[in-house]
Structures are given as structure tokens and as C-alpha cells.
Amino acid sequence: MRPALIALVTSVRKETRIILRDREAFLLLFLMPFVFVLVMSLALQGSFREHSQGARAKLLVINHDDGAIGEKLAEQFRSARHFTTEIRTEQVAPEELEAEVRLGHYKFAIIIPPKTTEQAVKRVAQQLDATVAQVTQQPIAIGLLADPAVHADQRALMMTTLNRALQEVETGILLKQVGEAGKRLVRARQLFPEIPAVRAPDALHTFAEVKDPPYDVTTGLRPPTSVQQGAPSWIVLGMFLLVIPLSVTFIRERQLGTLQRLHSLGVSPWVVMAGKIIPYLVINQIQFGLILLEGMYVLPWLGGDALTLGHTPGALIVVSLATSATAIGFAFLIAVMARTTEQAHVFAPASILILAAIGGVMVPKFVMPVIMQQIAAVSPLSWALEALLDVLVRAGGLREAAPEIGGLLLFAGCCFAVVIVRFRRYFRA
Amino acid sequence: MCRRGPIIRDASGADKGRVPAAGEQTCYHRQRHPLHFHRFVHSPLIVEIEGLCKTYPGAERRAVDEVDLRIARGRIFGLLGPNGAGKTTLLSMLCGLLRPSGGRMRIDGVETAATTAAMRRRIGLVPQDLALHPSLTAHENLEYFGGVQGLGGGALAKRVAECLAIAGLEGLANRRVETYSGGLKRRLNLVIALIHEPDLLVLDEPTVGIDPQSRRFIHEQLRRLNAAGMTIIYTSHYMEEVEALCDELAIIDHGRIIAQGTVTEVLNRLASSLIQLRLAGGLSAALESELRALPGVTDLQADGHAVRIESDDPLLTLSRVLECVRGRGERVTSASLGAVNLEQVYIALTGASLRDGS
């Protein structure tokens, strides 16, 4: 074997031995994420969460109606405090619209079909007209699409809001028509007292009831389960937990003087770094695989919903590697910046928790206030989470997750650049 | 004759060293490290340092200031100095851990601005800290520090076994280091520096905090290694250790070498210039200033009742001192000329006041 390879293999073997013998680190890396996924997925299954007052979901209203109903509906959603509403009147291809929602650009899209006002008025009039034998005008179907990553409670809130809005519109039309009919009836009875009364319909059903939007319009898959939606968060958190043992071991070695000893022996800093990166990268991938297997097999066995791997499981490998690279880069960054293990012990978990919290790992981003949603964009944990959601929940692949993967790799690159500068300075003295 | 392995003559080797002086031999060794063929001059001096300086960024004064040092091959060289004197900085530059701010260094005849990676492999550093992996066994630690230098297979296994034998750790080789006593850890710390068979072994206070038995064991092993041809640089605060172990020594203070030579030379140097007194009533401020003003007195140190005076002409100065003390009505209980041991020399040269190590 070539000496450089011997050096690398030796370095990797030593790091692996140290990790495997560090019981606390082992528990942190494997047991905590495992228990996290199990507990959180089972606990949150089918539950509804409290919504923060400031939470606003991004809503797109496609108004193809040229009458009062479309305008009124759009206006109602524009003034609703739960939504940030964008209204479009131009034609949008259904596939394009579906992709925009599926990729999370909008949490919901409401499609008001053309001639809604005309048809609604006609249907109410037919129902009120006692001379009409059969109502020929069909109920109007208002379309609703939802981002697959939106939780069930948010979807329910949306459906309730929409159905209530439609009822209000329907009531408005009815009252107007009944009023007009009443006036006409009074005038007519003065001339023809034998005219019959207006028919009172049992139910108008001007609009078809809006149901839970399908997960995927083209494939007709059912909405994602809480496991499917929750697992990416805990996977990301679990993977980033390696920042703690990696940064602490590195600083400990610096304090013990073993790094200085390696330096005095002329060992390449690349061997030292690669010796740490490789085992932690492998551990991270094992962690990732175990959490997926847990979601697929252990959770259903305990009565929970099963995790599915989406349409492109291969993309998961790339997302996982990019997440690992970021976590390892961040760990190294802490290791070269912190002076003592105590500093790393405090800073590493605190920074992970903060980045997780603002990145939507602890609390979904769509229930955060707008300002927090904007802040979330700076967290690498948020990018990792969105990349996983793209693949696991939004049925996307590498192309859809590419922006987040790019962000993760860029962040990892920046971390490693700082680390290499500091490390080379240390090794060059 | 060269001590190391077969000699490979290589006329095309790049000349990185100096032209050998008369009596020196140019050798081309195949390094133990299989990556490199490294040319060096087999100089009688393994370390030659001239005008070496180090100033840390932002520091007001130099940590190492114009140091000249020559260490002959096959010697045990002691480096003494109080905390913050510049010992560790000097050793760090020698081992390639720090870049000098100025001056020249030659390691085994090869001139180098800063010690290169290839040169470092010829030096074994035993740091003052226990630079070991506590969760690994002694065997695994040795295997690791050998392996990262490219040693593998049978050669590594052989060296690991040899090092374990030197440290007397054969029976404990598979126990985790965290379960070892302080003495065992020190022994392992020593032999890790030997895994790559260095020519020069640099020890930075290797016996701190261990029992006399372990200290004695380490000294015995160092003598054996030295007898086999290894050059050793040894720093310690235990004067009796340095006195018993080292052939030569240097005392460094405020970044400068203030005494250098064989142990006997250093002792004699001060023995011929030191006056030691014991005063029954101690040294008053008035008497101290009077003594300092006497002709021939170059330095004066007081420690309780003991007074040490350095002088250019000790005999004449002693008579003046005794006259002065008597004139002040003070009683002298004992008086002697010359140093008794290395510690007295050390204290005389570096002073008795505490150092903060900054």
C-alpha cells in the first residue's frame, strides 16, 4: 500500500475507533435521532397544531371569472389575516400551476373558473323559479391545490375558509334574487292575484363543496401523512447533531497536543482532515439510512404511518451527502473557532438548536410570522429540510432540490475555506 | 560511519544542504519513511543555530533573542530556564512547529529557514503535555502515530513491539490509555516519539508529575537510546536530573542564552565567581545597598538569611563584604566561595524572583 494511503487509512481507523468508544457521542448520533423520529411522528400523527397569530400562508387566486363573484372571493382572501394573497387573472397552464404549488412557491392555489358569476346567478334563478321543472345548471366547482408539505390542519383551515366564503357569496346572490323576485311578485299579484308563491328550495348547492385537495393532481396520490411531513425535520436535526462530537473531539485533540505532535512529525493536514471527514460522513449516511428504515418499517409496526421514499430515492443520496458536507463543514468551523471544549460544548448544540428553530425544523415555517419566515432563509438546516421535503413530500427529484443542494454545498465550501486557512496557518506556524 | 541503514549514492540529488566541511561526510540515506530519498550532510553537529529570533505578533519583546546554539551528535543536551524564558519557543522552532522571525538553523548540516516536513521526520518530539489518545490502547496509539507517517505492515508491527519494549508496556499494550497511571502515560508519551526512529529526540519536561521510580526508568531508557547513538535535547526544572543526565547544557532567560557548556564548565564558571554568605540577622535594605555598591560586586541575590554575590574578583570582594557586614554590626554565620550545585548556578544566573511565565 502507498504510504499516503496507509496514512489516510490509519487516520480513518483511529477516528472510527474513537467514535465507537465514545458512548455519549454514539448515543447522540444514533439513539437520539431514532427516538426523536419515533416519538415525534407518533405523537403528532393526526394532531392539529396551534397556529401562531402572525402565520400567513402564501395563496394564489386565479380568477378567470369576469363577474362580481370572482372579485368578491378574491377580495375576501386578500383581506383574510391567515393568507398573503396574490391574484392573477391571466390564463395559467394547469401543469404549470400544479408545479408552482407542488414545489412550495405557494401553499395554496384557488382557481375560480370562467363565467362563475353568470352560472351561479343562473343556477340560483332556476332554483327559485317555480315554473322551471328541473334545474339544469350544474354546481360550480371551485378548484383548490395545496403544497404537499402543508399540514392537514392548515388544509382544513383553508377548506373551511373557502367553503364559508362560497356560502356567503351564495347567500348574497340568493338574497338579491329573492328580493327582486319579491318585488316582481307584489307588482304581479296586484294585477293577477292567482299567481303562485315563489318556490323555496331545500338547498341551493350553487357551488360544489371544496374537498381536501389531492396531493398530486396528475397521479392522484393521497395527501402526505404526518410521518412523511415530520420525518425530514428530524432527519436534518439528527444529521446535524454530529457537529457536537466532531467539533469537541477536534478541540480535545488540539488541547491534548496530539495535533501538534502530528504537525511535529510532518503529517499532512489533509490526512488529518480526511481522517476525520470520512468516518463522520459514513456515520451520517448510516444515520440517514437508519432513520429512513425506521420510518418505513418500525413506525408502521408501532401503529404509525409508513414513510415512503418519494419518486426519486436516488436524489435522497445526493441530498444526504450535501447535508453531511454542510454539517461536517460547520463542525470544523466551530472546532477552529472555539478555544476550548467547553466553548464547543455550549456553542455547538446551541447553534444547532437556533438554526433548527429558525429553519423550520422545530416549528413548520408556514406557521411562523412573516419576518421569521424571511429569517429562516439564512439557516442551512432550512435548506436541508426543503431539499428533503422536495424529494420525500413534493414528489420532486434532483432538479427540484438543486437550489437547496447548491446552497448547502456553497455553505460547506465556505466553512471548509475558513477551516483550511486556519488549519494551514496552524500547520505552517 | 553512518548509523542509518544502507547508503544509496545518488549523484543527481538536488543540493539542499551546505558544502560539507573538512572531516564531514556526505551521505545519501534511504529514509525510513519510504516516501522520500533525502540527502543530508552527516555533520558532527546535529543542531547549529545562529542568531535565531522569534517575535510573536503584538509582543513587545522577542521571545527568543539572537540565540546561538551548537549541539554535537550523540550528546544529551540540557536546556534550562525559568517559565517564560523562551525554552518551548526555541524547541518549537527546532521541531518545525513555529517559524523563526530571523536567524539560521541547520539540522544535521542541512540549512533550513524553517524545519521542513522531511526534516521533522528525523526529529522525535516528546511534548510536555500527554499527547496521546486516551480512548485508544498503547498499541493502537503507537500504530496510529506510525501509520500516519506511512509506516505499515511488518515494519510498523516490528517498531510498535520495539517501542512497547522500550517503555516496558508489553503486558499493558492492549489496555486503554485512560486507565494508565501518570508514569505509564509518560512512558508511552516518550516512546511515541521514537516510533519513526528519529536521529534527534527532543524532550520537553518529560518527567513532570511522576514518581521517582518512573523517572529513573525514563532516565535509564534515555541513556540507552543515547548509547545507541541518539542525540537528546532535554528540558526540565529538576536541576539534579539535568546535572546527572546531560553532557552539556544551556541556560536561557529572557530569550537569550546566558550560559552554555558542559555541566562541569557551567558549574566552574560560577564556582569561580560566586560568594555565598549566611547572615544571622538577615539582609537589611541599608546593608544590601552598601554591598551592591562595593567594587567587584556584579550581582546580589538574597533569600532569607542566605546571600549570593557574584563578583569579578571573588577573593578580594569577599574580604570587602565581610568588612562591610561587620561594620554594620551584622554577624556572618557562614561564608563560602564557588557554586555547590547546578540549582545554585541556575538561581544565581536567572534570579530568585518568581516568574509568571508570560
Side-chain angles (χ1 to χ4, degrees):
Chain A
M1 217 193 295
R2 291 166 62 90
L5 193 59
I6 293 175
L8 182 62
V9 171
T10 305
S11 200
V12 169
R13 192 165 51 199
K14 164 243 150 193
E15 199 62 37
T16 311
R17 275 177 177 152
I18 288 177
I19 296 164
L20 293 177
R21 285 174 194 177
D22 186 346
R23 206 173 296 165
E24 289 78 17
F26 198 75
L27 289 176
L28 183 76
L29 289 173
F30 288 101
L31 200 63
M32 263 184 68
F34 191 86
V35 173
F36 242 17
V37 172
L38 207 67
V39 172
M40 298 309 282
S41 299
L42 289 174
L44 294 177
Q45 187 160 300
S47 70
F48 287 80
R49 293 184 191 172
E50 292 283 321
H51 286 263
S52 105
Q53 286 299 311
R56 287 164 85 93
K58 213 169 168 196
L59 168 69
L60 176 65
V61 177
I62 305 285
N63 183 12
H64 290 156
D65 179 34
D66 48 5
I69 293 179
E71 219 159 89
K72 188 164 186 192
L73 276 176
E75 190 46 47
Q76 278 200 350
F77 280 100
R78 204 203 305 268
S79 56
R81 66 187 173 93
H82 290 299
F83 304 103
T84 303
T85 310
E86 183 185 325
I87 297 162
R88 286 197 213 159
T89 52
E90 72 275 14
Q91 281 292 331
V92 184
E95 308 80 45
E96 197 186 314
L97 182 63
E98 188 215 317
E100 284 213 60
V101 177
R102 186 164 52 81
L103 294 175
H105 300 157
Y106 298 96
K107 293 296 161 198
F108 297 101
I110 294 171
I111 305 116
I112 306 168
K115 297 189 168 106
T116 297
T117 307
E118 191 185 317
Q119 287 172 12
V121 171
K122 203 168 164 186
R123 183 170 160 86
V124 173
Q126 278 186 356
Q127 286 178 310
L128 288 175
D129 191 345
T131 61
V132 174
Q134 194 185 353
V135 178
T136 55
Q137 187 62 49
Q138 292 300 307
I140 302 148
I142 300 291
L144 175 65
L145 296 175
D147 174 5
V150 168
H151 286 210
D153 51 338
Q154 270 255 321
R155 287 201 306 272
L157 175 70
M158 179 70 218
M159 284 185 293
T160 312
T161 313
L162 183 55
N163 282 321
R164 193 170 294 162
L166 292 174
Q167 272 174 10
E168 272 181 38
V169 168
E170 188 181 52
T171 311
I173 300 168
L174 178 68
L175 287 174
K176 194 176 173 194
Q177 293 206 9
V178 167
E180 284 168 4
K183 281 180 203 161
R184 282 200 304 271
L185 192 64
V186 170
R187 280 200 300 271
R189 277 209 171 160
Q190 286 170 351
L191 299 171
F192 310 102
E194 66 281 8
I195 285 178
V198 175
R199 177 171 65 186
D202 296 333
L204 291 170
H205 296 302
T206 309
F207 299 99
E209 192 193 353
V210 178
K211 299 242 172 78
D212 200 358
Y215 165 41
D216 188 327
V217 174
T218 43
T219 59
L221 287 175
R222 54 194 278 269
T225 61
S226 66
V227 171
Q228 200 75 20
Q229 287 176 325
S233 303
W234 313 122
I235 289 173
V236 169
L237 189 60
M239 290 178 82
F240 267 84
L241 283 178
L242 80 71
V243 170
I244 303 166
L246 176 51
S247 56
V248 169
T249 0
F250 192 88
I251 296 168
R252 194 179 293 149
E253 285 185 12
R254 200 174 62 203
Q255 286 181 326
L256 283 171
T258 53
L259 279 185
Q260 197 182 46
R261 181 162 230 162
L262 292 175
H263 181 26
S264 80
L265 293 170
V267 177
S268 159
W270 297 107
V271 168
V272 178
M273 278 182 71
K276 293 197 173 292
I277 291 171
I278 294 169
Y280 277 99
L281 190 70
V282 171
I283 282 174
N284 233 199
Q285 298 315 299
I286 295 172
Q287 241 185 348
F288 183 72
L290 282 178
I291 296 175
L292 290 183
L293 288 174
E294 181 192 15
M296 289 164 75
Y297 300 108
V298 180
L299 277 170
W301 183 64
L302 291 171
D305 296 314
L307 183 75
T308 57
L309 297 187
H311 287 172
T312 46
L316 285 175
I317 297 169
V318 183
V319 174
S320 162
L321 286 171
T323 307
S324 292
T326 309
I328 292 170
F330 188 54
F332 269 104
L333 187 69
I334 292 177
V336 296
M337 292 298 186
R339 287 186 188 162
T340 60
T341 48
E342 289 75 17
Q343 280 183 359
H345 262 305
V346 173
F347 185 73
S351 60
I352 296 300
L353 284 177
I354 291 167
L355 288 174
I358 64 171
V361 169
M362 305 281 190
V363 179
K365 268 184 278 181
F366 57 79
V367 302
M368 290 179 183
V370 179
I371 182 75
M372 287 303 292
Q373 290 185 21
Q374 284 163 352
I375 291 171
V378 302
S379 168
L381 273 80
S382 161
W383 311 333
L385 176 62
E386 286 302 320
L388 275 178
L389 286 173
D390 283 343
V391 181
L392 281 177
V393 180
R394 295 177 179 132
L398 266 184
R399 205 174 59 180
E400 287 74 15
E404 290 92 4
I405 292 172
L408 288 170
L409 293 177
L410 189 68
F411 182 83
C414 292
C415 288
F416 277 115
V418 176
V419 170
I420 287 165
V421 168
R422 299 278 297 219
F423 212 52
R424 286 178 77 168
R425 200 180 295 164
Y426 176 78
F427 264 65
R428 276 183 180 174
Chain B
M1 281 296 291
C2 295
R3 259 191 323 113
R4 310 175 56 172
I7 297 169
I8 298 168
R9 302 278 173 199
D10 180 8
S12 63
D15 190 355
K16 290 176 183 170
R18 65 190 171 92
V19 177
E24 292 178 345
Q25 227 180 338
T26 305
C27 302
Y28 295 90
H29 290 275
R30 190 160 74 83
Q31 293 286 288
R32 285 175 193 83
H33 193 281
L35 272 178
H36 301 281
F37 284 83
H38 178 68
R39 183 198 162 199
F40 67 92
V41 180
H42 200 150
S43 165
L45 293 175
I46 197 161
V47 176
E48 288 172 88
I49 290 172
E50 283 172 35
L52 198 70
C53 299
K54 178 69 187 179
T55 311
Y56 288 106
E60 283 177 7
R61 63 176 181 86
R62 287 173 174 174
V64 169
D65 191 5
E66 299 281 337
V67 164
D68 297 330
L69 206 62
R70 280 169 186 77
I71 301 173
R73 178 181 296 282
R75 308 301 292 265
I76 303 182
F77 189 90
L79 187 63
L80 299 175
N83 292 332
K87 297 189 299 290
T88 305
T89 304
L90 181 59
L91 293 186
S92 297
M93 286 192 282
L94 186 66
C95 298
L97 298 173
L98 281 178
R99 265 177 195 276
S101 309
R104 299 166 73 188
M105 276 196 301
R106 276 185 205 144
I107 310 287
D108 209 4
V110 179
E111 185 148 349
T112 173
T115 312
T116 60
M119 299 300 290
R120 282 180 213 155
R121 292 198 178 103
R122 304 194 46 212
I123 301 172
L125 172 66
V126 182
Q128 190 181 340
D129 298 322
L130 293 165
L132 314 162
H133 291 290
S135 59
L136 300 184
T137 65
H139 190 279
E140 287 165 350
N141 265 292
L142 284 163
E143 214 175 51
Y144 169 63
F145 283 105
V148 287
Q149 294 178 80
L151 278 175
L156 177 63
K158 186 168 167 277
R159 266 317 283 165
V160 169
E162 283 170 2
C163 289
L164 286 170
I166 293 171
L169 291 172
E170 301 100 317
L172 303 166
N174 294 318
R175 244 176 64 183
R176 285 196 200 178
V177 172
E178 61 202 1
T179 65
Y180 282 11
S181 67
L184 291 176
K185 285 179 186 167
R186 284 276 163 208
R187 277 145 65 180
L188 179 61
N189 200 36
L190 166 67
V191 291
I192 284 174
L194 301 173
I195 190 80
H196 58 300
E197 296 181 81
D199 292 311
L200 174 64
L201 185 64
V202 178
L203 301 106
D204 192 2
E205 301 189 32
T207 55
V208 170
I210 58 171
D211 57 45
Q213 288 84 353
S214 293
R215 188 177 299 167
R216 200 169 162 181
F217 180 87
I218 287 176
H219 288 173
E220 276 170 20
Q221 296 308 323
L222 290 177
R223 283 196 190 94
R224 276 186 200 157
L225 291 165
N226 179 244
M230 187 177 282
T231 310
I232 294 168
I233 300 177
Y234 192 94
T235 76
S236 175
H237 282 129
Y238 301 115
M239 298 300 146
E240 71 283 3
E241 265 189 8
V242 176
E243 204 170 341
L245 196 66
C246 298
D247 308 309
E248 286 178 63
L249 64 93
I251 299 175
I252 185 170
D253 198 15
H254 300 300
R256 286 176 170 271
I257 300 286
I258 52 172
Q260 188 180 348
T262 63
V263 175
T264 319
E265 278 168 0
V266 173
L267 286 173
N268 286 344
R269 186 193 137 179
L270 221 71
S272 60
S273 64
L274 195 71
I275 299 163
Q276 297 190 95
L277 299 175
R278 278 194 79 80
L279 301 176
L283 186 68
S284 64
L287 181 56
E288 185 181 342
S289 57
E290 208 169 314
L291 288 174
R292 280 187 189 280
L294 286 175
V297 172
T298 54
D299 192 24
L300 186 148
Q301 305 279 342
D303 185 8
H305 290 255
V307 180
R308 278 182 290 271
I309 297 167
E310 268 193 80
S311 168
D312 300 332
D313 188 353
L315 263 178
L316 186 60
T317 308
L318 179 61
S319 66
R320 286 175 184 150
V321 166
L322 291 173
E323 198 177 320
C324 178
V325 171
R326 272 196 295 270
R328 277 266 165 195
E330 184 58 73
R331 196 164 59 86
V332 177
T333 54
S334 71
S336 64
L337 279 172
V340 178
N341 59 30
L342 191 58
E343 185 165 350
Q344 287 173 323
V345 176
Y346 178 83
I347 293 291
L349 290 174
T350 61
S353 57
L354 287 171
R355 300 296 178 91
D356 59 8
S358 58

